[in-house]
Amino acid sequence: MPPAVGGGLAGSELRPRRGRCGSQAARAVGPDVATEATTRSPKRPAPSSRRFEAPGRWALLALVTLMSFATRFHRLDQPPHICWDETHFGKMGSYYINRTFFFDVHPPLGKMLIGLAGHLTGYDGTFLFQKPGDEYEHHSYLGMRGFCAFLGALLIPFAYLTVLELSQSLPAALLTAALLTFDTGCLTLSQYILLDPILMFFIMAAMLSMVKYNSYANRPFSAPWWLWLSLTGVNLAGALGVKFVGLFIILQVGWNTVSDLWHLFGDLSLSMITHMSGIRQIMPHMPSTLHWLGLQVTVGKHLTARILCLIVLPLALYTATYAVHFMVLNKSGPGDGFFSSAFQARLSGNNLHNASIPEHLAYGSVITVKSARMAVGYLHSHGHLYPEGIGARQQQVTTYLHKDYNNLWIIKKHNTNSDPLDPSLPVEFVKHGDVIRLEHKETSRNLHSHYHEAPLTRKHYQVTGYGINGTGDSNDFWRIEVVNRKFGNRIKVLRSRIRLIHLVTGCVLGSSGKVLPKWGWEQLEVTCTPYLKETLNSIWNVEDHINPKLPNISLDVLQPSFPEIMLEAHMVMIRGNNGLKPKDNEFTSKPWHWPINYQGLRFSGINDTDFRVYLLGNPVVWWLNLLSIALYLLSGSIFAVALQRGARLPAEVEGLLWDTLLRLCAWSLASFSLAGHVHTLGILSLLLGIAYSFYLFHPLAYGMVGPLAQDPRSPMAGLRWLESWDF
């Protein structure tokens, strides 16, 4: 909620960053300004942020932390059933406990931590997490909810410390803590088995660490400086390891780092000379080139430290999370089909694990052909024909996600019907550029294409099964091309990525990913596309391979390396994120709904007899946030113009937005002796107003039973301020 309290209005213009360019700033301000500020400041009431001592700070931090944990852990066990996305992330925690491989569009750290929390608190991973509303019964779910609530509760003290460090203003820090503590939206997200509190924890921790190491800028390379710089890197890895939106905090820290180095580069007081007093005595007229060299060395040390702590360390930790992820999830599971055949060979229980098959493809081999596109599956055919009016009435060819005998094809030469498995004939390997036929093993029809239009995709050609006992026509001929020819001209099982080019039409065999109607058994459409651009839709690999004339090798030697596995996992996640689309009747919202709190989300329950939880931000907090942004832009513009015109603002307006505005109002509306009291009264009014709004809206987060909001008997009666709020 940083915008709700705003950024420094005058501080960013007047106050030099501690430890950076301090001497330059003092020289730039000049003695007259410094004297004027000194003589003027006693007339103003000393800001409260400078009156409180360290014990008071710790006492208030303890109070803020206590309030945070009390609100987050209150009624944590309610409701005792699955709410919203607990279906997904609770199930994924179970997968880690059971070591079952799965696929998700987010990086693994958050789900791993949920699984670890469940394991440590007695959950055995046996609950199915099938759908929202299912009762947890005897299963231990509070450990996972408690872990998320714990991290969510830490957001408030982290925010308090961050604002306190930035502004040195106690009222601003307290106001920040109150805004987060009493926001029903933040509270709701913190009380369930979700990735959101874990992500927010790492983002807030990274921000706090960055601010703390900035505060030690006048003591670079000291132990606290290294500690906070390293913790910033650790938290960056954590944020990115939970969700890819953690990139935004990485950009924030990156911008801060560039700004740091730019200020250091321009600080003329930094040089080797200032640290070489002995040499200065010997060489009092040291040339300016050595001064420049000293500056370069100093900036180089700072740059190296930041590269190590903010790039190398986060990347190492991020990579380590994937190493643990792949090590733990070593059993075949629902995520197998999203990954390549070579990847699947490493999963215990998968039919490719510990299997032995011939390494290189030869004529006469019985094979399965798998699409490289995620969740498309195997080239498949069956005895059913395309219906009347859908291209030629020939045998259907589709892709199918599951293992099936109808996925088997025999690879043959295009110009002969001799049996390549005849023991008297030598083995002939299939090579890049060969023209082949693929004969469907179960129906003896050839893979075939022609100029008829595909069933669903316009301007693509239909693919069918054609012929009798392997005898067809020239439209059954395909040229096989190896995309990644690092294995030579031979086709290597699992590893070679191939394309099939239709010899007559010149089109490329591919799968559109579109689901066929019921006549196609809701399998996926296969087409021959005239567009020759190389895409995952048209790339395949050979998975199963049976040929009695060839020696078998263990698939262990074909398993991909860790870098290849990690790269594939990221490609699959990226494609998965790009392919996310709302399902029919699924809740959707538009980006402009979010900042204005236009619409909420039912976490649990619909009817008046249900236990209802409704995700909606506290409207007072959220709309105060919007007002703050508008006031900040207005005030910042006014102050910028005033500074440009030569005005000098008092040092007290270095706090955050509301603290500053209330201070200015106090000075303008009251005598100097009463200004402090007016300011305090304004801060207390804001705090009490926010707390009272939480009292009104807290049933949204903690749960409601009984009449809906439109019923006068409802505890939420009169609080449905927008028609779009459906609680």
Side-chain angles (χ1 to χ4, degrees):
M1 285 288 169
V5 288
L9 293 172
S12 59
E13 300 289 340
L14 297 179
R15 183 176 60 190
R17 303 177 76 174
R18 281 188 286 173
R20 300 181 196 135
C21 314
S23 58
Q24 287 180 321
R27 289 194 297 270
V29 170
D32 295 338
V33 175
T35 304
E36 182 179 346
T38 303
T39 57
R40 182 180 52 185
S41 57
K43 298 180 182 180
R44 305 295 189 200
S48 58
S49 59
R50 288 165 172 77
R51 290 204 299 263
F52 66 91
E53 302 295 334
R57 293 191 182 196
W58 288 110
L60 287 170
L61 175 61
L63 176 63
V64 164
T65 305
L66 179 64
M67 285 292 295
S68 174
F69 275 80
T71 53
R72 269 58 187 168
F73 279 84
H74 179 62
R75 302 190 70 180
L76 189 64
D77 60 332
Q78 297 297 317
H81 61 244
I82 299 175
C83 291
W84 197 47
D85 273 357
E86 285 188 323
T87 303
H88 304 299
F89 302 119
K91 182 185 298 182
M92 292 169 188
S94 298
Y95 285 143
Y96 278 106
I97 294 173
N98 297 316
R99 308 193 69 174
T100 303
F101 188 76
F102 68 95
F103 164 71
D104 184 44
V105 295
H106 304 301
L109 180 60
K111 285 95 65 178
M112 276 199 291
L113 292 175
I114 289 172
L116 178 63
H119 176 68
L120 294 177
T121 54
Y123 173 58
D124 59 6
T126 58
F127 187 64
L128 297 180
F129 284 97
Q130 288 185 321
K131 64 182 185 302
D134 287 353
E135 296 286 339
Y136 284 114
E137 298 175 341
H138 63 279
H139 296 277
S140 177
Y141 66 98
L142 279 178
M144 292 182 284
R145 277 192 184 175
F147 169 72
C148 293
F150 176 79
L151 296 186
L154 288 176
L155 295 176
I156 287 87
F158 282 6
Y160 171 88
L161 290 171
T162 301
V163 173
L164 189 61
E165 185 65 50
L166 285 171
S167 68
Q168 296 299 309
S169 169
L170 176 61
L174 283 175
L175 186 57
T176 301
L179 288 166
L180 285 174
T181 301
F182 299 126
D183 177 38
T184 51
C186 185
L187 169 60
T188 304
L189 288 174
S190 297
Q191 287 199 303
Y192 297 93
I193 305 170
L194 303 172
L195 296 185
D196 302 81
I198 307 174
L199 174 67
M200 291 189 294
F201 166 81
F202 282 116
I203 289 176
M204 192 67 78
M207 180 63 72
L208 174 61
S209 303
M210 182 190 74
V211 169
K212 292 296 288 186
Y213 93 72
N214 280 345
S215 71
Y216 284 95
N218 57 345
R219 294 170 54 194
F221 310 110
S222 63
W225 186 88
W226 277 112
L227 172 66
W228 289 111
L229 185 64
S230 301
L231 285 177
T232 304
V234 170
N235 290 313
L236 291 181
L240 187 62
V242 176
K243 281 188 177 183
F244 285 132
V245 292
L247 283 169
F248 287 104
I249 189 62
I250 293 176
L251 293 176
Q252 169 70 36
V253 173
W255 177 256
N256 178 78
T257 302
V258 171
S259 177
D260 278 347
L261 295 174
W262 184 253
H263 279 280
L264 287 167
F265 192 75
D267 190 347
L268 299 180
S269 67
L270 289 176
S271 75
M272 187 182 294
I273 299 175
T274 60
H275 304 291
M276 300 174 63
S277 56
I279 296 179
R280 290 188 63 183
Q281 292 176 2
I282 299 172
M283 303 176 63
H285 303 293
M286 187 176 293
S288 59
T289 55
L290 189 56
H291 178 93
W292 175 254
L293 177 63
L295 176 61
Q296 298 287 73
V297 170
T298 303
V299 174
K301 288 169 61 179
H302 279 273
L303 177 62
T304 302
R306 285 159 174 79
I307 289 174
L308 289 174
C309 293
L310 301 181
I311 297 178
V312 175
L313 178 61
L315 283 177
L317 293 175
Y318 181 75
T319 303
T321 62
Y322 278 90
V324 175
H325 171 72
F326 295 131
M327 181 180 65
V328 172
L329 302 183
N330 62 357
K331 297 180 181 178
S332 179
D336 294 17
F338 292 91
F339 289 79
S340 68
S341 306
F343 185 99
Q344 295 179 41
R346 53 178 295 278
L347 298 173
S348 173
N350 189 284
N351 69 309
L352 296 174
H353 183 67
N354 288 335
S356 295
I357 60 177
E359 181 178 11
H360 293 104
L361 190 61
Y363 288 103
S365 296
V366 178
I367 63 173
T368 59
V369 183
K370 188 175 187 293
S371 173
R373 182 178 172 182
M374 180 184 68
V376 168
Y378 301 91
L379 187 66
H380 175 97
S381 189
H382 42 237
H384 301 279
L385 306 182
Y386 286 100
E388 195 71 39
I390 305 294
R393 190 165 168 77
Q394 297 174 5
Q395 185 168 299
Q396 298 175 15
V397 173
T398 64
T399 57
Y400 187 52
L401 269 173
H402 306 285
K403 303 284 186 178
D404 190 273
Y405 284 113
N406 280 324
N407 300 341
L408 296 175
W409 300 82
I410 305 171
I411 187 164
K412 294 187 174 183
K413 287 190 170 184
H414 75 290
N415 56 359
T416 179
N417 287 321
S418 61
D419 183 7
L421 296 182
D422 186 339
S424 63
L425 297 176
V427 173
E428 190 171 352
F429 291 102
V430 181
K431 297 183 179 65
H432 168 77
D434 281 3
V435 178
I436 64 167
R437 281 189 296 122
L438 281 178
E439 181 183 313
H440 190 242
K441 187 174 185 298
E442 294 298 305
T443 62
S444 298
R445 297 186 188 276
N446 296 327
L447 185 70
H448 177 98
S449 188
H450 43 224
Y451 286 108
H452 292 273
E453 193 170 72
L456 302 179
T457 306
R458 294 178 60 82
K459 298 183 179 179
H460 284 210
Y461 301 139
Q462 183 187 33
V463 176
T464 68
Y466 178 76
I468 300 174
N469 295 324
T471 302
D473 60 24
S474 60
N475 280 327
D476 303 338
F477 300 161
W478 303 82
R479 185 174 69 253
I480 189 167
E481 293 184 351
V482 182
V483 175
N484 56 334
R485 294 181 61 189
K486 61 182 179 181
F487 304 115
N489 286 332
R490 291 185 180 181
I491 314 298
K492 199 166 188 176
V493 175
L494 300 185
R495 306 302 298 276
S496 292
R497 295 157 64 88
I498 61 175
R499 298 202 308 166
L500 294 171
I501 313 296
H502 192 244
L503 208 60
V504 173
T505 64
C507 58
V508 184
L509 184 74
S511 175
S512 67
K514 298 176 181 178
V515 179
L516 293 169
K518 291 188 181 298
W519 57 256
W521 303 93
E522 297 182 339
Q523 295 171 7
L524 301 185
E525 179 192 39
V526 169
T527 70
C528 199
T529 171
Y531 308 108
L532 300 183
K533 182 179 179 182
E534 191 176 293
T535 67
L536 288 174
N537 290 12
S538 60
I539 295 177
W540 309 80
N541 70 269
V542 176
E543 184 172 290
D544 298 287
H545 183 207
I546 304 168
N547 192 318
K549 296 178 67 173
L550 295 175
N552 291 340
I553 65 164
S554 172
L555 289 184
D556 290 342
V557 302
L558 300 180
Q559 287 186 17
S561 63
F562 174 73
E564 290 174 315
I565 291 173
M566 190 168 175
L567 177 62
E568 180 177 351
H570 280 78
M571 295 303 296
V572 172
M573 285 190 292
I574 291 170
R575 292 200 299 268
N577 275 297
N578 291 339
L580 287 177
K581 295 179 181 178
K583 300 176 183 176
D584 293 339
N585 301 320
E586 188 175 47
F587 170 83
T588 58
S589 60
K590 298 179 181 178
W592 66 268
H593 290 173
W594 307 336
I596 66 173
N597 216 26
Y598 178 78
Q599 195 171 13
L601 176 68
R602 293 192 185 101
F603 253 52
S604 172
I606 299 175
N607 302 315
D608 55 3
T609 57
D610 297 332
F611 186 93
R612 304 188 304 280
V613 176
Y614 191 74
L615 175 63
L616 183 74
N618 183 334
V620 174
V621 171
W622 283 58
W623 293 344
L624 181 65
N625 192 31
L626 292 177
L627 177 62
S628 300
I629 293 172
L631 287 176
Y632 177 74
L633 294 174
L634 177 63
S635 304
S637 301
I638 293 173
F639 288 168
V641 171
L643 289 169
Q644 187 68 20
R645 297 289 296 172
R648 295 189 177 92
L649 300 176
E652 288 84 353
V653 288
E654 294 181 357
L656 300 195
L657 178 68
W658 288 102
D659 186 31
T660 298
L661 293 180
L662 289 171
R663 208 178 292 280
L664 292 174
C665 291
W667 291 336
S668 63
L669 297 177
S671 63
F672 292 151
S673 60
L674 296 178
H677 299 292
V678 174
H679 169 259
T680 302
L681 181 62
I683 292 291
L684 286 176
S685 299
L686 275 174
L687 292 174
L688 291 174
I690 293 167
Y692 181 69
S693 69
F694 176 73
Y695 167 76
L696 293 177
F697 287 95
H698 78 273
L700 296 178
Y702 290 134
M704 307 166 282
V705 177
L708 302 179
Q710 54 266 34
D711 192 317
R713 298 171 298 166
S714 170
M716 303 304 295
L719 295 176
R720 192 181 176 207
W721 297 346
L722 295 180
E723 287 296 322
S724 53
W725 297 351
D726 51 353
F727 53 76

